[in-house]
Amino acid sequence: MKNIEIIGTGMAKPGKVVTNDDLAKIVETNDEWITSRTGIKERRFCDENQSAYTLSAEAAQKAIEASGVSKEEISCVICATVSAEYVTPSLACIVQRNLGLPEDIPVLDVNAACSGFIYGLEVARGFLNGNGGKYGLVIGCEQLSRLMDMTDRSTCVLFGDGAGAAVIKTVDDGIYETVLGARGGYEITVEGAGPVVSHIKMEGQEVFKFAVDAIPKCINALKEKSGITLDDVDQVICHQANARILDHCVRKMKADPEKFYKNMDRYGNTSAASVPVALDELVKLGKVNPGDTIMMVGFGGGLTWAGVLLKYGVK
Ligand code: UT7
């Protein structure tokens, strides 16, 4: 199996900014509670001209441009999402068609909730090793505002919309490790198509306990498998569910907080989009550069977890 590197990133920001004070006008909550419990100050929702499709296409287009890869060279398209408008066609298929990507390649959506982007990288790696392609496109996109119960204060303050994308390249050597798993659980649910209105429901405290265990577990497994330490890693990009979860894990691992980027203050929890959005911001800030070694960690619905250690490179 060849390894992969990320060689270009992009993101799309939904147009509607919703602050904690805006939500306090709808449900019984306040900025102090949301900020102190989660670190979230505002989140973004799609405006009337946006959808999961427009966000993912914009993020994908930017990632392709940043990578310098031509569309004809893309040999698989994977989109991680749980909130697309259509179950079929997949979001990945809609992006493929509308961006004019090749037809004779594998194209599909992955559902591993907040771990989805990292699962998607490994799925793409498998496809590229199977079909001999060199470049793949992996997107994480959510329009969670479609699924939120705006009368439930325990969830509606947490989530947001967004999309991030990355172009990957196969490499013959280099650092690459992955850890993927799932416990199977109903602690976070969204009903599928049927008579029941689809809403996100979450047992917050149970998921919190799971998350503070999953992050160090993924990081320690990646360290053991690769033989490297966090000193050798330039950035650890974790799913942006809650600042308290990240702060707790950083303390527990005695890690350098500067290596654990946080942007949930501006976007809330965007599930599968959160890791690629954070990665793109780090690239734009010059904190992730070609040659850097990065870790990415996801955890969430299904009680899935996912970690990857890889290089950020160039075409
Ligand atoms: O993306 C997938 C991964 N997801 C996560 O990692 C989320 C993990 N869980 C969490 O981040 C936290 O559990 C939450 C942020 C969801 C909740 O924080 P918490 O500290 O666990 O609060 P809680 O659920 O124990 O609620 C404490 C109190 C309750 O009131 P009582 O029973 O103590 O009177 C809630 O009713 O806070 C109340 N509450 C609120 N108050 C004001 C719940 N939501 C709100 C709210 N505003 N929005």
Side-chain angles (χ1 to χ4, degrees):
M1 268 290 250
K2 290 188 178 193
N3 295 334
I4 52 170
E5 291 181 351
I6 289 177
I7 60 164
T9 62
M11 69 177 278
K13 280 187 199 180
K16 208 188 292 174
V17 177
V18 180
T19 65
N20 291 347
D21 287 339
D22 291 334
L23 291 174
K25 292 177 196 144
I26 307 172
V27 285
E28 203 181 321
T29 190
N30 55 74
D31 176 53
E32 200 283 318
W33 191 95
I34 304 171
T35 305
S36 62
R37 301 276 176 145
T38 69
I40 299 166
K41 301 291 290 180
E42 59 187 40
R43 70 289 294 141
R44 285 169 173 260
F45 292 169
C46 286
D47 64 30
E48 48 288 348
N49 299 314
Q50 294 172 317
S51 65
Y53 158 63
T54 66
L55 295 185
S56 45
E58 184 185 334
Q61 178 71 34
K62 288 178 179 166
I64 293 169
E65 282 167 18
S67 71
V69 168
S70 71
K71 288 181 178 173
E72 299 70 47
E73 292 177 295
I74 302 277
S75 296
C76 69
V77 182
I78 311 296
C79 187
T81 187
V82 295
S83 56
E85 246 171 315
Y86 292 93
V87 173
T88 190
S90 69
L91 199 44
C93 281
I94 303 175
V95 171
Q96 173 213 21
R97 181 186 170 125
N98 286 283
L99 290 191
L101 299 172
E103 290 188 0
D104 53 347
I105 59 171
V107 180
L108 54 77
D109 285 358
V110 164
N111 172 355
C114 312
S115 310
F117 178 73
I118 298 166
Y119 265 81
L121 289 175
E122 187 62 4
V123 171
R125 177 177 172 241
F127 277 133
L128 295 181
N129 273 282
N131 69 11
K134 190 155 182 65
Y135 305 104
L137 173 64
V138 182
I139 304 162
C141 177
E142 302 290 3
Q143 189 179 359
L144 295 173
S145 58
R146 293 180 60 245
L147 302 176
M148 281 156 59
D149 175 355
M150 296 308 285
T151 66
D152 176 9
R153 69 176 183 174
S154 72
T155 53
C156 77
V157 302
L158 302 174
F159 300 100
D161 301 342
V167 172
I168 59 166
K169 164 180 104 165
T170 57
V171 287
D172 292 321
D173 46 21
I175 295 172
Y176 185 84
E177 288 296 347
T178 187
V179 47
L180 303 171
R183 185 180 293 170
Y186 290 89
E187 288 81 353
I188 307 172
T189 56
V190 178
E191 296 91 345
V196 182
V197 178
S198 297
H199 277 147
I200 304 176
K201 297 187 188 118
M202 182 166 74
E203 294 170 29
Q205 287 191 4
E206 289 309 308
V207 180
F208 193 101
K209 282 184 234 158
F210 163 74
V212 294
D213 180 55
I215 294 174
K217 184 168 72 179
C218 284
I219 292 175
N220 290 333
L222 292 172
K223 279 165 55 183
E224 258 173 50
K225 285 174 115 184
S226 64
I228 72 167
T229 71
L230 282 187
D231 291 339
D232 307 314
V233 175
D234 295 287
Q235 287 289 333
V236 184
I237 302 151
C238 293
H239 171 47
Q240 305 285 310
N242 183 326
R244 272 164 59 219
I245 292 175
L246 288 194
D247 293 343
H248 179 94
C249 293
V250 166
R251 273 198 308 275
K252 194 163 147 187
M253 294 183 296
K254 298 188 172 54
D256 174 5
E258 288 296 309
K259 287 191 182 178
F260 286 72
Y261 186 64
K262 287 191 277 192
N263 66 9
M264 70 286 281
D265 57 327
R266 288 172 288 126
Y267 303 117
N269 177 345
T270 59
S271 190
S274 85
V275 168
V277 165
L279 173 62
D280 184 61
E281 289 199 331
L282 284 163
V283 170
K284 300 290 171 345
L285 287 167
K287 292 187 177 180
V288 168
N289 294 293
D292 283 359
T293 302
I294 56 176
M295 265 188 197
M296 297 189 278
V297 179
F299 52 88
L303 297 195
T304 55
W305 62 86
V308 67
L309 170 73
L310 80 177
K311 285 276 189 190
Y312 184 80
V314 290
K315 187 186 181 203

